[in-house]
Amino acid sequence: MAADLVLSQLHYMVPEESKHGTFVGRIAQDLGLQISDINARRLRIVSKDDTDYFQVNLQNGILFVNKMIDREQLCPKTNVCIIQLEIILDKPVQIHHVDVEIEDINDNYPIFSSNEFKLFIVESRLPGSRFPLEGAVDADVGTNSIRNYELSASEYFALDIQTYTQKSKSVQLVLKKILDREQIACHTLAFTAYDGGNPKLSATAELIITVQDVNDNAPAFDKSFYTVNLLENSLKGTVVTKLNATDLDEGENGEVIYAFNKVVPQEVTSRFSIEKHTGIIRVMGEVDFESYNIFEIEVDAVDKGQYALAGHCKVIVNIIDLNDNPPEMTVTSLNVPVPEDISVGSVVAVISVHDRDSGLNGKVNCHISKTVPFKIKSTLREYFSLIVDGDLDREKVSEYEIEIIATDEGLPSFSVSKLIKVQISDVNDNSPTFIQVSETITIKENNPPGSHVYTVSASDSDISQNSFITYSIIDSSIDGIPISSFISINPENGKVFALLSFDHEQVSYFKCQVKASDAGLPPLSSNLTVNIFIADINDNAPIILTPFSNSESKMTELVSKSAKEGHLVTKIKAIDADSGYNAWISYGFKDLTQNVPFAIGRQTGEITVIRPLTELDGNEYKLTILLKDHGEPEMSATLTIAIILVESGQDLPLERKTYPNRKDDEFPDANIYLIMAICLISTVFLITLIVYTVLRWQKYTQEISALKQHNFCPSIAGSWTYSQQRQYKVCLSGGPPKNDLILFTPNYPQALVDDTVSKNGSLTSEVAGQVRFY
């Protein structure tokens, strides 16, 4: 692979201006070569910029200086100066990167642009006022460049040095106390610059400060320091920035004119201009990053007063390098297809990327254009690896088209892309799946046995036999009956069939589990819960509960002729075994042709007198009562009732039956004897109970004392649902013994049961047979 060609990287350092033959490093020894391999493998040295500053002694493998190097000439704009070499060996071919860093020496003095600088300062300037000074320049870099400035002793002036960037220092003259032109009209000071070399080198210029006596407000900029970024090759007329200065004076003394300070060098004035009335700085010449990557511009804002005052600011213009070389990308190895169970971190491909630019423009980053379970990882200087970064699933994606994009960090950046196809091989790792974990279906009762009621469907994203699905019902039971007696399923297509005709009044709901299995080895499966509701249809007619009814659904009622309007004759009660609207019963007279003095409540079934009875009314009325439910289709039952009108006080026949909620106008004598008999029997029972209690009291007391040591309260052992069972609960906890009877009643309305029992003493066998409990 290409990665084997680039084996190592060496880094050496040598001072600038080293003489020919100066020792740099033992290149053969550092590369692990024998002296005999140097000529046998044809070792040679190549410089990327085709210079011959260094050579290798083929006799001893030492890298030495071939000719003297001037760092300031070789790298005038950078702090770190590196010459890149390639050591090439043949048989086999190997390439080694060697970087030789040229160390700066302090061989340049600081230099001022002039031996003297003249400043004019108004005497009214306040202490703390600042005046920019032109600093010195030094061709050296690092610690050998300019590090400090000094000013000769003065009670009026001092220096303030600010470092804004690595290359930029702002030197300002600070006024310490108010000037007095009448006392001292001119100040002469020594301005000295020092570098950081050893020994230190310095340069001195003379500051001649002339004190002026006029205007008392100088223009002031919004900021004393501006930083601006500007693209190289910007067109002529491009706005760099807009400065703003204000003057508190009025008239001409407040009018501001902008101009470059006289200390601004020619390389600035040849490339930039400033509009004197607006303060807009524009590009007027060629801006090239390779020539100058930063400009320091001193700007003055001068008013139009008789003795003009000026405000000052510094503008730092950083030139942004443009990128002009795209990266080059090569795929050196590719391992496909990739199994879907491959481990995360496995290498799929190795990619080589190179960019001929330098700095950020030559720094290349690789990434993948879209979200895939792969990632790019940098391995060696110019090499990247495509590795697995997530779980692969062939059933979701069988092939990935991975677009790898190499982008440098230039502005604007250049990029190149390459498309790599990675196939995924299959393993059996998917079980059949249902769309939902549960389904709810409804089957109407009285369905034909064997009818198709539902179809379940599962899917398997595997292929071949791994995706062949069969269906089955998991064994379970309903009230002890196997679920297979109720429904069945076709194992191939998932169709569910009802094996019997369901009755909502017996079974209203049950559920089952459907299992879907594939044919893989081993087989995989999943379950679906099917909730089956049996929908009610109107298949039960209303059933009359009145105790007066016989097999022919007939009854007789007696009404006194003196009954008033609203008098309750009787109340018809019925039930319907259906549910909902199918069980909602309404009452009404059927085929009512004559003018009868009675009416029936549509919802209550109460028959009442609706007008006073007269001699013209007949002695007997035969009425047919129609009981209808609200189902579709409607079902009904009929009851024939004979109402006989009798005189007040007339004895009623024995067959008459009494309702507990009926209001009679007369209280029969027979009831008095009944009440007297009940009272006598109750008295005898009460006396017997008292005697029995006294006799048993002592025995109970002993039992209670014994039970206090073992308090217990057994719970009910069951419930009464489909049959009439009575459960007892005895709780002994230190008090008198009690027998608590808990009776669970069926779901009849309480009033209906009370009324029925009071008339007949118990439910008729016919009625009990028609009632279902839930």
Side-chain angles (χ1 to χ4, degrees), residues 335-343 388 392-394 422-427:
N335 299 319
V336 292
V338 177
E340 64 177 330
D341 59 350
I342 189 171
S343 60
V388 178
L392 303 179
D393 190 348
R394 191 213 64 81
V422 179
Q423 294 82 22
I424 310 300
S425 58
D426 183 44
V427 296

Side-chain angles (χ1 to χ4, degrees), residues 124-156:
S124 60
R125 296 299 293 269
L126 298 176
S129 299
R130 296 172 179 267
F131 310 93
L133 299 178
E134 180 183 2
V137 296
D138 194 321
D140 295 322
V141 296
T143 59
N144 296 325
S145 63
I146 293 176
R147 283 288 178 266
N148 194 21
Y149 292 90
E150 288 185 359
L151 189 67
S152 59
S154 172
E155 64 177 317
Y156 292 95

Side-chain angles (χ1 to χ4, degrees), residues 424-471:
I424 310 300
S425 58
D426 183 44
V427 296
N428 187 23
D429 58 350
N430 289 279
S431 60
T433 57
F434 293 95
I435 297 178
Q436 296 178 341
V437 297
S438 65
E439 293 284 352
T440 300
I441 65 173
T442 301
I443 304 174
K444 288 187 177 181
E445 64 175 332
N446 301 335
N447 58 290
S451 59
H452 171 235
V453 295
Y454 191 64
T455 300
V456 299
S457 177
S459 60
D460 195 317
S461 54
D462 290 324
I463 59 175
S464 187
Q465 69 176 16
N466 295 330
S467 63
F468 182 76
I469 301 175
T470 57
Y471 302 91

Side-chain angles (χ1 to χ4, degrees), residues 252-304:
E252 290 186 349
N253 292 333
E255 296 181 15
V256 179
I257 295 176
Y258 301 90
F260 290 148
N261 191 280
K262 61 181 179 180
V263 302
V264 173
Q266 189 271 338
E267 58 263 22
V268 173
T269 57
S270 63
R271 290 172 172 81
F272 302 98
S273 65
I274 186 169
E275 296 179 1
K276 65 178 183 177
H277 295 296
T278 63
I280 297 176
I281 299 177
R282 297 182 183 272
V283 176
M284 62 171 297
E286 180 182 358
V287 180
D288 187 2
F289 175 84
E290 286 68 33
S291 298
Y292 295 94
N293 59 7
I294 188 171
F295 293 94
E296 299 183 14
I297 307 175
E298 298 283 352
V299 179
D300 296 338
V302 185
D303 61 26
K304 293 183 179 181

